[in-house]
Amino acid sequence: MGAAMRVSRKVAGSLVAVLLVAGCTTKSEPDPPPGTSSGARPTANVPPAGTPAPVPMPAQQASFAPAGAFKAGDASADILAADLNDDGALDLATPNYNSNDVAVLIADGNGGYAPPLILPAGRTPNGLAAGDFNSDGHEDLVAANLGSDDLSLYLGDGTGKFGEPVTFPAGDGPARAVARDLNGDSFLDIVTPNLNGDDVTVMLGDGKGAFAAPAHHPAGDGALRLSVADLDGDGKLDLAVSNYNSGDVAVLKGDGGGRFGPPAVFPAGDTSAGAALADFNSDGALDVVSALYEVDQIAVLFGDGKGGFGGPVVLGSGAHPSDTGVGDFNGDGFADIVAPNFDSDDVSLLHGDGKGGFAAPVSIKVGAGAPAIVVTDFNGDGKADFATADSLADTVSVLLNTTGG
């Protein structure tokens, strides 16, 4: 059965379905999720599942300048932000599902981006990660090719240019690529959720631009999104995987050596399409937020600090939310949620109150058909901005935070 048939029961075979395999990609070694602390964790607070009423809007709401649209590729399925030419500014890159390539957009220093540099990829690339995989001090790129079951590695030269892709076999339908050091050897590794294989694939890097043979670990039906963090406080990195077809989040605990245990599964809701992590209720434990694509909802699962999660707390969104991101967008010190909505061409922003409550979603206009979002500070002003891949417009939308003037 093809990827599009597996992804969506209602829109099988459509562009919407296949683009859902994209993920929200951040830099290879991300900052701690919002609201976390390096200190000892207090007793976690796990609220009951349900559909709570929205909390009041905060005194200061987040605001953004109108979206800046920049040409990307044909049906961009993911988006990342990284400094790809060593000039200190964040550039953008997208894998493009229809044209089987990767678009690199170099920041021009004036708030815009140069026309995209196009890199050939495998068949239907859907995920993208950045990191220094050959230890030369420059950012490289890795594309996850859903249709050809492999990864394309592009070694960067530090000027925004990249070598010819080197191909490595991966899993069955890799839907995203995440780069982290999973075994503590100081070299970046790659992990992918595999939509058709219902598992995750770990490929340990050698620091010279090559990877060990892939190791596969069961995850769930339609593994789609993935985040990496220490979920149980043992100092070892674990995996949180959202499974689209089974509507749940699986936790695979790591042993610190790049190996992962069997999945512990926690219900999220119909068509779970996100696994962003943050501490939403200020208890010191990481929580997970997922987009429920088919039912136009957002689900938050509160963590217990031991690698487990409570039942879903369900929130509103726009039409067909396809990804989730987190950040403190209004500067109150609490984590908020952003979710791009594929069919309403906007992003839903839900302000968090730091107690596990969220205000009603605010709609922020972006380009058509956004399947993925990245949260970062593009202009260095200390405020959380975001950008979306706009698959139906073949653009990216960049939104700069203007909160507080």
Side-chain angles (χ1 to χ4, degrees):
M1 185 177 293
M5 294 295 290
R6 289 289 309 278
V7 177
S8 173
R9 296 188 296 271
K10 298 180 180 178
V11 290
S14 72
L15 177 63
V16 174
V18 293
L19 285 173
L20 276 173
V21 300
C24 168
T25 307
T26 57
K27 57 186 179 180
S28 56
E29 293 291 342
D31 297 325
T36 59
S37 169
S38 59
R41 293 180 176 176
T43 302
N45 174 31
V46 182
T51 307
V55 301
M57 284 289 181
Q60 177 168 268
Q61 298 182 38
S63 60
F64 294 85
F70 304 95
K71 180 176 174 55
D74 189 356
S76 298
D78 192 7
I79 186 168
L80 67 74
D83 180 6
L84 301 176
N85 64 343
D86 297 346
D87 66 351
L90 288 174
D91 310 303
L92 296 170
T94 67
N96 306 307
Y97 185 92
N98 283 348
S99 49
N100 298 322
D101 54 32
V102 170
V104 175
L105 289 74
I106 299 297
D108 64 10
N110 297 310
Y113 295 85
L117 168 69
I118 302 298
L119 309 174
R123 193 163 70 249
T124 57
N126 287 272
L128 199 61
D132 181 7
F133 297 103
N134 62 345
S135 307
D136 67 351
H138 305 310
E139 292 285 286
D140 311 309
L141 296 173
V142 169
N145 301 308
L146 176 77
S148 48
D149 301 333
D150 54 27
L151 303 181
S152 297
L153 170 65
Y154 310 86
L155 297 179
D157 67 0
T159 70
K161 297 182 176 63
F162 295 85
E164 291 296 315
V166 180
T167 301
F168 297 89
D172 186 359
R176 185 184 172 187
V178 176
R180 296 294 298 273
D181 177 9
L182 300 174
N183 61 348
D185 64 356
S186 300
F187 302 135
L188 284 177
D189 312 307
I190 292 288
V191 57
T192 69
N194 302 312
L195 181 71
N196 297 330
D198 302 333
D199 57 9
V200 298
T201 294
V202 174
M203 301 169 65
L204 299 179
D206 66 359
K208 301 176 182 179
F211 299 92
H216 309 291
H217 304 273
D221 189 0
L224 185 64
R225 301 274 201 271
L226 183 149
S227 289
V228 180
D230 178 9
L231 298 174
D232 57 2
D234 66 353
K236 302 169 185 177
L237 291 176
D238 311 305
L239 308 178
V241 185
S242 68
N243 298 308
Y244 186 89
N245 294 329
S246 50
D248 51 44
V249 171
V251 172
L252 286 70
K253 292 188 177 182
D255 68 356
R259 295 171 294 273
F260 295 88
V265 177
F266 304 92
D270 190 21
T271 56
S272 176
L277 299 169
D279 180 5
F280 292 116
N281 57 350
S282 308
D283 64 355
L286 284 175
D287 313 309
V288 63
V289 56
S290 189
L292 306 181
Y293 178 83
E294 291 286 4
V295 293
D296 300 341
Q297 294 174 333
I298 302 295
V300 176
L301 282 66
F302 288 90
D304 63 8
K306 303 175 183 178
F309 292 93
V313 174
V314 178
L315 311 168
S317 73
H320 288 163
S322 52
D323 196 10
T324 51
V326 294
D328 177 12
F329 295 101
N330 63 336
D332 63 358
F334 304 131
D336 311 310
I337 297 170
V338 282
N341 301 302
F342 193 96
D343 282 338
S344 49
D345 301 335
D346 63 353
V347 166
S348 293
L349 166 62
L350 292 83
H351 293 91
D353 67 358
K355 303 175 183 178
F358 295 89
V362 176
S363 173
I364 302 171
K365 190 69 175 176
V366 295
I373 192 167
V374 60
V375 177
T376 190
D377 180 4
F378 282 107
N379 56 356
D381 64 356
K383 301 174 184 178
D385 311 309
F386 67 82
T388 61
D390 309 323
S391 63
L392 299 183
D394 298 338
T395 61
V396 297
S397 293
V398 177
L399 287 95
L400 299 180
N401 194 325
T402 59
T403 306

